[in-house]
């Protein structure tokens, strides 16, 4: 294909309608028809990236292969497309303004007055086109964050208007809106959709396709009404009804012929053969489990489950491989005390201690790690969860009283988790972070980790400052906690394991970021497999 096509996905009426899932589902269908597709997210907030945002504010911070801290929607994009994303796939208003102001300071604008139009919108358009200019993709889908009408997203909407004008038939706009159901009258109401489209029209954009999010099926009369009042083709009015799992959405969009409508509007060839066999096989296993397990997810942000979105989805993927329904017990780490551990944790088939920063809820995580170790319950410590396992082992097995991470207690006599020497003295929050994919070499061929990966070299994504303190490595090894994975360049410990335990693994990286529908992460698969053994054995 000579020229890249662009699809813009906007949202109206309310937030949280699922623009990311819609974009991912459409991309999956286009990919399954033979096109190369990527998705990018434009976020209207002024933060440069979500890296310093509290998870309560914006959910999980997703990390790409190249170390970009991005919106959690990029996790959906990767899980659906089975393709990695990069820094170019996530743009924030903060990054746009940072770039424009930097250019102004360097004199790039030759003394001109710097304005929203054209300077900010030109920078937005440049960012949108970066992915398409590389020649790798037939189609680039751009999700515009926020809701049409928000003041924050106006520059993005204006940029889309300009691009529609410049690109002509090479660009389409898909607008996702809500059609609420009034129980009192038994009616679906289209007025919010009409008003949302009116806002787009006021901004100079005529949407090409409308996707109506609804709790009830929309009949032909409602579709005809929306098509008439919103000036779109009848075939371009698509319903998106609630489904039990997000992974069914591509099939729902297929039945609505959304992909075919998009390809027609982009003047692209419609390949009648669509390859969704592996996707359908996954759904069959997901919807027909033979077993079930209960996994305790111990974290301090469990009130907002999106804070652990990638972990939750990795468990779904691993459950499907094992034909097992995974029930997640969301446990706030601050609620755990020695006197209630038996009540809270004894019913679990496996325990995950989740990532996080800061000391809040730390004691509860340490209690959970000890309970899993002493009761032979499969344990999976991820990032901070690995550090927690190390701290607990140091205190209760090595008898290093007061052992801690220097992040939590800078004056600890035994900093078993610490900053490396070259990191000390760096005050900028991002400056000490290890971000993105790093090589890890498995050094114990008999370990559970090696059996799970079935290879000796892996690449995993990191997002942390503090590391296992190598000064204590020998003590841990003698007492029974083994470093089974290391970074080959620095020799930093990446993975620890207790061989005498049924399945006790701590990883310094974030394996959940690399789990997809078609490639479930092997560590999650093996963790569920071993948790399932506990369930089978009673």
């Amino acid at each position: 294909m000579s020229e890249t096509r662009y699809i813009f996905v906007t949202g109206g009426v309310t937030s949280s309608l699922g623009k990311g899932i819609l974009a991912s589902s459409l991309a999956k269908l286009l990919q399954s028809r033979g096109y190369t597709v990527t998705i990018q997210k434009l976020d209207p907030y002024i933060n440069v990236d979500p890296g310093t945002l509290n998870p309560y504010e914006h959910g999980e911070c997703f990390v790409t292969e190249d170390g970009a801290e991005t919106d959690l929607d990029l996790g959906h994009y990767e899980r659906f497309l089975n393709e990695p994303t990069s820094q170019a796939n996530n743009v924030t208003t903060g990054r746009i303004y940072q770039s424009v102001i930097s250019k102004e300071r360097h004199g790039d604008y030759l003394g001109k007055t710097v304005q929203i139009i054209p300077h900010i919108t030109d920078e937005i358009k440049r960012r949108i086109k970066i992915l398409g200019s590389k020649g790798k993709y037939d189609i680039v889908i751009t999700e515009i964050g926020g809701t049409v009408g928000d003041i924050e997203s106006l520059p993005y909407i204006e940029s889309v208007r300009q691009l529609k004008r410049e690109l002509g038939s090479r660009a389409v706009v898909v607008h996702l809106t809500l059609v609420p159901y009034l129980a009192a009258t038994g009616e679906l109401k289209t007025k919010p959709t009409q008003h949302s489209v009116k806002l787009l029209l006021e901004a100079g954009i005529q949407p090409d396709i409308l996707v109506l999010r609804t709790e009830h099926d929309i009949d032909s009369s409602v579709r005809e009404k929306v098509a008439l009042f919103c000036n779109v083709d009848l075939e371009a009015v698509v319903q998106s009804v609630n489904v039990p799992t997000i992974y069914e959405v591509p099939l729902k969009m297929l039945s609505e012929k959304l992909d075919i409508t998009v390809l027609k509007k982009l003047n692209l060839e419609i390949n009648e053969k669509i390859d969704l066999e592996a996707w359908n096989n996954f759904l069959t296993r997901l919807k027909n489990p033979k077993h079930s397990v209960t996994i305790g997810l111990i974290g301090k942000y469990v009130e907002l489950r999106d804070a652990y979105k990638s972990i939750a989805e990795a468990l779904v993927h691993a459950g499907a491989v094992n034909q097992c329904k995974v029930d997640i017990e969301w446990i706030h780490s601050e609620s755990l005390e020695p006197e209630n551990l038996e009540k809270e944790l004894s019913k679990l088939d496996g325990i995950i201690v989740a990532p996080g920063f800061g000391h809040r809820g730390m004691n509860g995580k340490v209690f959970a790690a000890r309970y899993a170790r002493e009761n032979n319950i499969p344990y999976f410590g991820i990032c901070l969860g690995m550090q927690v396992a190390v701290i607990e082992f140091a205190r209760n097995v090595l008898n290093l009283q007061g052992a801690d991470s220097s992040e939590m207690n800078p004056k600890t006599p035994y900093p078993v988790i610490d900053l490396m020497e070259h990191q000390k003295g760096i005050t900028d929050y991002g400056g000490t972070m290890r971000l993105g994919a790093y090589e890890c070499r498995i050094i114990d061929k008999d370990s559970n980790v090696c059996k799970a990966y079935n290879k000796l070299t892996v690449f995993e994504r990191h997002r942390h400052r503090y590391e296992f303190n190598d000064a204590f490595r020998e003590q841990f090894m003698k007492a029974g906690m083994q470093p089974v994975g290391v970074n080959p360049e620095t020799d930093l410990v990446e993975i620890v394991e207790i061989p005498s335990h049924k399945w006790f693994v701590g990883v310094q990286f974030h394996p959940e970021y690399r789990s997809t529908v078609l490639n479930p992460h092997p560590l999650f698969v093996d963790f569920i497999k071993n948790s399932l053994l506990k369930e089978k054995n009673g």
Side-chain angles (χ1 to χ4, degrees):
M1 223 172 71
S2 58
E3 294 181 304
T4 301
R5 268 51 168 194
Y6 294 87
I7 301 167
F8 300 99
V9 178
T10 58
V13 182
T14 181
S15 59
S16 302
L17 289 182
K19 293 189 299 295
I21 301 300
L22 173 65
S24 301
S25 299
L26 174 57
K28 183 67 203 173
L29 294 178
L30 296 172
Q31 183 191 60
S32 299
R33 289 191 187 273
Y35 290 98
T36 54
V37 190
T38 192
I39 320 173
Q40 69 180 169
K41 174 79 181 285
L42 306 185
D43 274 310
Y45 49 74
I46 299 176
N47 303 69
V48 174
D49 61 42
T52 55
L53 277 175
N54 189 311
Y56 286 131
E57 291 280 324
H58 209 66
E60 167 186 85
C61 175
F62 185 83
V63 177
T64 59
E65 291 281 294
D66 61 351
E69 295 177 289
T70 68
D71 185 80
L72 63 80
D73 274 326
L74 271 72
H76 290 310
Y77 306 162
E78 292 200 9
R79 287 188 282 273
F80 276 64
L81 287 177
N82 201 37
E83 294 284 344
T85 54
S86 68
Q87 177 69 76
N89 292 79
N90 193 200
V91 179
T92 70
T93 296
R95 196 172 291 280
I96 294 291
Y97 274 81
Q98 186 183 56
S99 176
V100 169
I101 291 168
S102 176
K103 288 177 183 177
E104 186 273 333
R105 292 288 84 190
H106 286 124
D108 292 8
Y109 299 119
L110 303 176
K112 288 185 180 293
T113 303
V114 178
Q115 297 176 290
I116 303 292
I117 303 172
H119 301 101
I120 295 297
T121 52
D122 281 354
E123 180 65 17
I124 292 171
K125 290 191 293 182
R126 186 184 75 81
R127 299 287 181 133
I128 289 171
K129 287 177 164 180
I130 282 175
L131 287 166
S133 65
K134 293 180 178 178
K136 287 174 60 179
Y137 302 109
D138 300 324
I139 300 167
V140 174
I141 299 177
T142 301
E143 177 194 346
I144 313 292
T147 306
V148 169
D150 291 349
I151 192 169
E152 293 94 340
S153 57
L154 285 176
Y156 293 113
I157 298 299
E158 168 60 19
S159 301
V160 171
R161 182 194 70 78
Q162 293 179 24
L163 282 169
K164 278 273 284 179
R165 179 173 169 270
E166 294 167 18
L167 296 169
S169 63
R170 287 172 54 207
V172 300
V173 173
V174 179
H175 189 52
L176 174 66
T177 75
L178 177 68
V179 177
Y181 177 76
L182 293 187
T185 59
E187 292 178 293
L188 288 163
K189 306 303 289 185
T190 65
K191 191 63 72 179
T193 292
Q194 294 174 46
H195 280 275
S196 183
V197 171
K198 185 180 177 183
L199 281 172
L200 267 183
L201 290 170
E202 287 174 359
I205 297 174
Q206 166 65 58
D208 300 284
I209 298 168
L210 295 177
V211 179
L212 311 181
R213 182 72 190 273
T214 175
E215 295 179 3
H216 300 269
D217 285 321
I218 294 172
D219 62 26
S220 58
S221 65
V222 172
R223 290 181 193 245
E224 287 166 4
K225 182 178 179 181
V226 169
L228 175 64
F229 280 87
C230 298
N231 197 31
V232 297
D233 300 332
L234 182 59
E235 67 175 11
V237 179
V238 171
Q239 80 164 14
S240 177
V241 71
N242 289 359
V243 287
T245 168
I246 57 173
Y247 300 113
E248 285 187 44
V249 177
L251 302 186
K252 289 292 183 184
M253 294 302 98
L254 180 65
S255 67
E256 290 284 315
K257 299 182 178 178
L258 174 62
D259 54 327
I260 291 175
T261 303
V262 165
L263 290 171
K264 284 180 181 176
K265 291 190 176 292
L266 290 173
N267 296 320
L268 291 176
E269 182 182 340
I270 299 168
N271 181 359
E272 293 300 329
K273 186 180 178 184
I274 185 163
D275 182 14
L276 286 171
E277 183 180 357
W279 194 271
N280 285 321
N281 288 341
F282 162 78
L283 273 175
T284 299
R285 292 193 303 273
L286 180 66
K287 292 161 75 174
N288 298 281
K290 295 179 179 177
H291 315 282
S292 69
V293 292
T294 302
I295 302 298
L297 197 156
I298 320 291
K300 63 178 178 179
Y301 305 115
V302 293
E303 303 95 323
L304 183 69
R305 295 179 181 180
D306 274 358
Y308 305 110
K309 190 64 179 173
S310 290
I311 293 177
E313 296 306 320
L315 288 170
V316 171
H317 308 154
V321 173
N322 287 287
Q323 290 190 282
C324 166
K325 181 176 183 288
V326 179
D327 294 312
I328 300 177
E329 190 82 22
W330 302 86
I331 300 171
H332 202 298
S333 54
E334 284 190 295
S335 71
L336 292 178
E337 298 290 347
E339 52 269 18
N340 69 0
L341 288 179
E342 187 68 27
K343 179 188 172 192
E344 294 292 331
L345 306 182
S346 63
K347 59 184 179 291
L348 302 176
D349 300 307
I351 291 173
I352 290 179
V353 171
F357 292 93
H359 60 82
R360 185 172 68 86
M362 186 70 174
N363 286 340
K365 293 182 177 183
V366 172
F367 296 147
R370 181 174 188 174
Y371 187 88
R373 179 178 60 79
E374 293 181 344
N375 290 276
N376 208 26
I377 297 172
Y379 176 90
F380 196 3
I382 299 173
C383 199
L384 181 63
M386 174 263 207
Q387 298 178 1
V388 161
V390 168
I391 292 165
E392 186 280 319
F393 196 87
R395 291 177 185 174
N396 299 311
V397 178
L398 299 181
N399 293 315
L400 301 177
Q401 296 308 310
D404 214 329
S405 164
S406 56
E407 176 188 10
M408 313 303 169
N409 178 12
K411 296 180 179 178
T412 174
Y414 304 108
V416 290
I417 303 294
D418 199 7
L419 283 176
M420 298 298 98
E421 281 304 316
H422 72 277
Q423 296 172 297
K424 293 176 181 177
I426 301 175
T427 56
D428 200 19
Y429 250 11
T432 54
M433 290 281 273
R434 190 142 71 103
L435 286 165
Y438 286 81
E439 184 178 349
C440 175
R441 184 177 298 145
I442 312 299
I443 56 176
D444 183 349
K445 293 181 181 180
D446 296 322
S447 63
N448 283 322
V449 168
C450 186
K451 292 169 187 171
Y453 277 119
N454 199 27
K455 54 185 172 182
L456 295 177
T457 300
V458 296
F459 287 84
E460 295 286 1
R461 300 181 201 180
H462 292 249
R463 182 179 181 248
H464 58 95
R465 290 184 187 86
Y466 292 79
E467 307 278 358
F468 181 95
N469 189 340
D470 218 44
F472 294 90
R473 188 190 290 202
E474 286 297 323
Q475 286 176 262
F476 276 88
M477 291 175 67
K478 286 176 183 175
M481 179 176 274
Q482 302 299 320
V484 297
V486 298
N487 181 294
E489 288 186 22
T490 61
D491 202 38
L492 288 171
V493 174
E494 307 276 70
I495 310 172
V496 296
E497 189 171 306
I498 300 177
S500 61
H501 191 283
K502 177 175 149 183
W503 205 94
F504 192 104
V505 172
V507 295
Q508 185 61 85
F509 45 81
H510 289 259
E512 70 273 20
Y513 292 151
R514 300 197 72 173
S515 186
T516 70
V517 168
L518 299 186
N519 276 312
H521 196 284
L523 291 185
F524 278 93
V525 172
D526 205 49
F527 170 65
I528 292 300
K529 178 182 174 183
N530 281 275
S531 300
L532 189 57
L533 291 173
K534 179 179 183 296
E535 184 264 345
K536 285 179 179 175
N537 295 334

